[in-house]
Amino acid sequence: MGLTVKATIASFGGKLFKLSHPSTSTGTDMAVNLYLPPQALKSQTKVPVLIYLSGLTCTPDNCSEKGFFQHGASQRGLAIVYPDTSPRGLNLPGEKDAWDFGEGAGFYVDATQEPWAKGYKMDTYITRELPSVLFGDGSEFGKYLDAEKVSITGHSMGGHGALSLYLKNPGMYKSVSAFAPIANPCECAWGKKAFAGYLSEDNKEEWKKHDATELIKGEKWRGHKDARVLVDVGTGDNFYKQGQLLPENFEKAVKEAGVEGVTVRYQEDYDHSYYFMASFSDEHVDHAAKYLGLL
């Protein structure tokens, strides 16, 4: 079965579609929002795509309602895809006990530990299944979307997801950006909890395979001259102050690995909220647009 349209909403001259589909990766129905800019709706030309990965507790609706990515996307002529953050409805023991683990907190990894291995396959879902569902021949939206021109971005846990999936899969995405990402999950409380639960409490080497700070030091990226990475962090972000984000560790790793094309900006006084994201979303859209051939 394909995509089901739950709602269609006019936005900045384009249309936001609230969709759902049965997922083979998670074993549940998955919600996803898709924004098509006016350029896609008014011509026969396929438009590039920016995938936005949300943070802890979020659904596809949070950023599509409050992040204002559609504004920049409508000007540049690119589509935005807003996936969910985890399976919903598996009813696993403890799945809803905490806001930072389980439902709404899939951390964009494929879980190997029980009971999470049953459906918490968010890496596979984002990188393999969702593109097939959206871009495939059976999709009514495939005619609008250019599967060869895709970039990725995200916020907080989703910033971790965007950075790690980009760095794990060179060439899959044209660029990456992140707002307040969990940039070194192996070394922060959120990441340690998630990786211990989903992957293994003891196998720290496996953790490193999903950590942007570790990945940027690897052979795939060491000495890279055009990484195409943009990161924004607010200096007023309490999670930054608490050591959950650790962008300075990522910056240090980038420098030690001799990687070029990475920009990390500290935005004075901004916090972790959508006020921060809405203030700079146009710039992140432009970052993607540059490498998607729109600027």
Side-chain angles (χ1 to χ4, degrees), residues 241-259:
K241 296 175 183 178
Q242 293 165 11
Q244 294 282 19
L245 309 182
L246 302 175
E248 60 275 9
N249 292 5
F250 181 69
E251 285 187 284
K252 181 181 178 182
V254 167
K255 184 177 180 180
E256 291 176 351
V259 178

Side-chain angles (χ1 to χ4, degrees), residues 187-207:
E187 298 299 331
C188 75
W190 279 341
K192 290 177 180 178
K193 180 177 181 178
F195 286 178
Y198 293 134
L199 303 175
S200 168
E201 189 164 0
D202 301 320
N203 189 357
K204 301 298 174 60
E205 289 303 309
E206 184 65 24
W207 294 15

Side-chain angles (χ1 to χ4, degrees), residues 62-263:
N62 294 82
C63 188
S64 55
E65 291 176 358
K66 297 183 287 186
F68 285 90
F69 276 80
Q70 290 101 265
H71 175 260
S74 70
Q75 294 181 324
R76 300 304 180 197
L78 59 85
I80 309 285
V81 176
Y82 302 94
D84 208 345
T85 49
S86 78
R88 298 180 190 272
L90 286 173
N91 298 315
L92 301 176
E95 190 176 27
K96 298 181 181 181
D97 289 355
W99 65 275
D100 57 356
F101 185 83
E103 192 170 279
F107 264 82
Y108 304 102
V109 299
D110 284 353
T112 57
Q113 298 297 296
E114 297 298 336
W116 314 104
K118 177 182 178 182
Y120 277 69
K121 302 291 187 183
M122 292 303 294
D123 183 329
T124 295
Y125 176 72
I126 297 296
T127 61
R128 310 297 175 190
E129 183 178 7
L130 185 58
S132 177
V133 169
L134 289 173
F135 306 145
D137 293 337
S139 169
E140 65 182 279
F141 297 101
K143 62 185 178 182
Y144 299 112
L145 306 173
D146 190 339
E148 302 302 317
K149 293 183 178 180
V150 182
S151 286
I152 193 165
T153 186
H155 171 236
S156 193
M157 177 186 72
H160 142 73
L163 288 171
S164 62
L165 296 180
Y166 177 79
L167 295 171
K168 282 193 288 185
N169 300 284
M172 181 175 289
Y173 306 107
K174 300 300 184 184
S175 67
V176 65
S177 70
F179 290 89
I182 303 171
N184 191 190
C186 288
E187 298 299 331
C188 75
W190 279 341
K192 290 177 180 178
K193 180 177 181 178
F195 286 178
Y198 293 134
L199 303 175
S200 168
E201 189 164 0
D202 301 320
N203 189 357
K204 301 298 174 60
E205 289 303 309
E206 184 65 24
W207 294 15
K208 293 179 181 180
K209 297 177 183 178
H210 310 280
D211 185 316
T213 296
E214 297 294 335
L215 288 163
I216 201 74
K217 295 186 290 187
E219 290 301 316
K220 293 179 180 179
W221 291 96
R222 183 171 295 276
H224 201 286
K225 301 303 182 185
D226 186 24
R228 304 181 176 186
V229 178
L230 171 64
V231 174
D232 273 321
V233 180
T235 63
D237 187 326
N238 285 331
F239 296 124
Y240 168 55
K241 296 175 183 178
Q242 293 165 11
Q244 294 282 19
L245 309 182
L246 302 175
E248 60 275 9
N249 292 5
F250 181 69
E251 285 187 284
K252 181 181 178 182
V254 167
K255 184 177 180 180
E256 291 176 351
V259 178
E260 299 177 14
V262 176
T263 301

